[in-house]
């Protein structure tokens, strides 16, 4: 996991066994470490972990290129890059991220992308990128289709309810949210999730907008069961250009009609298959919510279920595991990962930082 700063001078690894086959490891580093010191400490902790655990035949699986420098000196059987987002487009992205990703593309045996538009973009860099769009835990989210008591903090909110769950950050179109609430004061918007990287004071406030905070994964179906429409009010900007919202199939599995802005990976395939309503302006968004409310729920759910039937995480895991298995068998011997930045890249980075 990401490192956590703590008071004190010593660095250590906090190892939490989850079950017999999985442990979660969290680096604890002294507060105030410089980025370079933090990387050096994590490198030492990771190498110590590999040695003390007696790891020999292991795979390095990256979700971010920023982890590449801390694996210096390790000798994996294979390297996997599971690219879930265009991280360089996010607000505050480190300037070295693009350069590190280029190195990771060169070193990875398997590269996977978590969405259609993201995959197409990455295939311009490397042609053998594998597409793995968002899957869904059908049993978990379909439990929202069963009538059940509302959670305490939602039970007194009037209907119709428009619901959203997820991280609330620069990807959310707060102006759209405010305008829809103003156009239809009789509708109530329920927002679940933490506020990250934006000022909470910048969020629209109205009597019919309800921020209920972050909820656990286990709690989500109970909240969705009380929604009339699920919404994806994403802004259309650089940070959303390549996103593939996992919540789209989760909303559908929960039996909710869905209204979204024109995010590429929602338009294709969901809107094309008429599983999701698309609107960008406040007036159109209101119109599409009205159409969603008027839909026949039995027919809508049946059509969604046809699409979702082959979209389980188990199926996704099987395909991913097959790719990794081929990579580990085709690699004759462990190889060192060398994320040192080439001189040309160091020069390019220095120029970017100077600007």
């Amino acid at each position: 996991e990401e490192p956590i700063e703590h008071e004190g001078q010593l660095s250590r690894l906090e190892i939490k066994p989850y079950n017999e086959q999985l442990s979660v490891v969290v680096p604890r580093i002294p507060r105030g470490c410089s980025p370079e010191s933090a990387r050096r400490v994590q490198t030492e902790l990771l190498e110590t972990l590999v040695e003390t655990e007696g790891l020999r035949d292991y795979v390095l699986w990256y979700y971010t290129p920023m982890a590449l420098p801390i694996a210096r000196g390790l000798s994996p059987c294979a390297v996997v890059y599971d690219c879930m987002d265009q991280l360089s487009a996010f607000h505050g992205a480190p300037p070295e991220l693009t350069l590190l990703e280029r190195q990771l593309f060169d070193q990875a045996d398997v590269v996977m992308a978590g969405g259609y538009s993201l995959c197409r973009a990455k295939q311009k860099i490397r042609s053998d990128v594998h597409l793995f769009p968002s899957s869904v835990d059908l049993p978990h989210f379909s439990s929202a289709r069963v009538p059940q008591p509302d959670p305490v903090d939602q039970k007194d909110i009037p209907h119709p309810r428009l619901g959203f769950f997820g991280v609330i950050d620069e990807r959310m179109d707060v102006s759209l949210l405010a305008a829809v609430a103003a156009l239809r004061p009789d509708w109530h918007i329920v927002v679940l999730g933490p506020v990250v990287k934006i000022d909470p004071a910048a969020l629209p406030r109205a009597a019919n907008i309800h921020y209920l905070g972050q909820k656990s994964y286990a709690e989500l179906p109970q909240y969705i069961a009380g929604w009339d429409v699920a919404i994806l009010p994403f802004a259309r900007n650089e940070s959303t250009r390549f996103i593939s919202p996992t919540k789209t199939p989760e909303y559908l599995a929960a039996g909710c009609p869905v209204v979204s802005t024109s995010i590429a990976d929602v338009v294709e395939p969901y809107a094309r298959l008429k599983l999701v309503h698309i609107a960008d302006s406040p007036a159109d968004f209101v119109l599409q919510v009205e159409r969603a409310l008027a839909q026949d729920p039995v027919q809508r759910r049946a059509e969604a279920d046809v699409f979702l039937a082959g979209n389980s995480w188990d199926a996704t895991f099987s395909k991913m595991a097959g790719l990794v298995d081929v990579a580990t068998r085709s690699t004759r011997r462990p190889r060192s990962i060398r994320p040192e930045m080439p001189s040309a890249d160091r020069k390019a980075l220095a120029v970017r930082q100077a600007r």
Side-chain angles (χ1 to χ4, degrees):
E1 296 287 349
E2 293 287 338
I4 295 177
E5 293 186 337
H6 69 108
E7 302 297 338
Q9 299 302 311
L10 297 179
S11 301
R12 61 184 175 86
L13 286 180
E14 183 178 89
I15 303 177
K16 302 177 182 178
Y18 183 80
N19 57 34
E20 291 183 358
Q21 294 180 294
L22 176 65
S23 294
V24 177
V25 181
V26 182
R28 298 278 183 170
I29 62 177
R31 188 175 304 281
C33 266
S34 67
E36 183 55 41
S37 295
R39 282 193 291 268
R40 185 174 61 253
V41 167
Q42 290 179 80
T43 296
E44 294 169 354
L45 291 173
L46 181 58
E47 290 178 353
T48 300
L49 176 71
V50 170
E51 182 178 351
T52 57
E53 292 290 324
L55 303 182
R56 295 294 178 266
D57 299 323
Y58 56 89
V59 173
L60 290 182
W61 188 301
Y62 291 89
Y63 284 105
T64 170
M66 295 305 296
L68 191 60
I70 72 169
R72 182 178 294 116
L74 295 185
S75 300
C77 289
V79 174
V80 177
Y81 178 26
D82 194 355
C83 182
M84 298 297 295
D85 288 295
Q86 184 76 334
L87 297 174
S88 60
F90 280 52
H91 178 69
E96 67 267 32
L97 193 150
T98 301
L99 300 176
L100 287 171
E101 183 176 64
R102 192 164 67 210
Q103 294 176 33
L104 186 51
F105 268 113
D106 290 339
Q107 296 176 9
D109 300 286
V110 179
V111 180
M112 302 178 287
Y116 294 91
S117 55
L118 184 63
C119 187
R120 286 192 293 268
K122 299 307 179 184
Q123 283 175 340
K124 294 177 181 177
I125 305 171
R126 180 167 163 165
S127 61
D128 63 343
V129 176
H130 300 272
L131 171 64
F132 285 99
S134 298
S135 301
V136 62
D137 184 346
L138 281 170
H140 181 68
F141 284 96
S142 62
S143 66
R145 301 186 184 191
V146 179
Q148 53 198 285
D150 252 329
V152 173
D153 55 353
Q154 183 173 272
K155 67 182 181 65
D156 295 326
I157 297 175
H159 290 267
R161 295 175 187 159
L162 282 56
F164 169 88
F165 69 76
V167 177
I168 304 161
D169 57 16
E170 75 268 24
R171 293 171 294 179
M172 177 172 281
D173 190 338
V174 293
S175 297
L176 176 64
L177 208 64
V180 170
L183 285 170
R184 294 302 301 264
D186 55 320
W187 292 354
H188 287 261
I189 301 174
V190 178
V191 181
L192 311 179
V195 180
V196 177
K197 296 193 293 183
I198 61 172
D199 184 357
L203 296 176
R205 304 287 171 175
N208 61 334
I209 303 179
H210 310 269
Y211 300 100
L212 303 187
Q214 185 170 0
K215 306 300 176 184
S216 70
Y217 182 76
E219 294 175 294
L220 293 178
Q222 189 179 9
Y223 280 89
I224 305 171
W227 296 352
D228 299 290
V229 177
I231 58 174
L232 295 167
F234 286 116
R236 290 170 296 158
N237 55 32
E238 279 302 304
S239 65
T240 62
R241 183 180 173 191
F242 298 104
I243 64 170
S244 180
T246 305
K247 58 183 64 62
T248 313
E250 292 172 345
Y251 285 165
L252 293 173
C256 260
V258 182
V259 179
S260 173
T261 50
S262 58
I263 298 302
D265 280 22
V266 179
V267 173
E268 175 58 46
Y270 299 100
R272 177 177 59 81
L273 296 173
K274 300 187 180 343
L275 299 176
V276 171
H277 301 264
I278 300 295
D280 289 315
S281 72
D284 284 344
F285 208 89
V286 167
L287 176 62
Q288 294 304 324
V289 169
E290 290 172 342
R291 289 178 175 172
L293 289 168
Q295 274 187 298
D296 174 16
V298 175
Q299 179 182 351
R300 183 190 70 243
R301 291 177 178 180
E303 292 171 350
D305 288 347
V306 170
F307 174 82
L308 296 171
N311 203 26
S312 71
W313 285 115
D314 286 341
T316 294
F317 165 78
S318 295
K319 295 173 185 175
M320 287 182 169
L323 292 172
V324 177
D325 184 54
V326 169
T328 55
R329 284 189 283 110
S330 62
T331 304
R332 295 184 178 180
R333 60 185 174 83
R335 51 204 176 74
S336 295
I337 296 300
R338 303 186 185 278
E340 294 89 343
M341 194 174 294
S343 58
D345 287 351
R346 287 199 300 270
K347 182 177 180 181
L349 176 59
V351 171
R352 291 181 62 185
Q353 290 175 326
R355 289 175 179 171

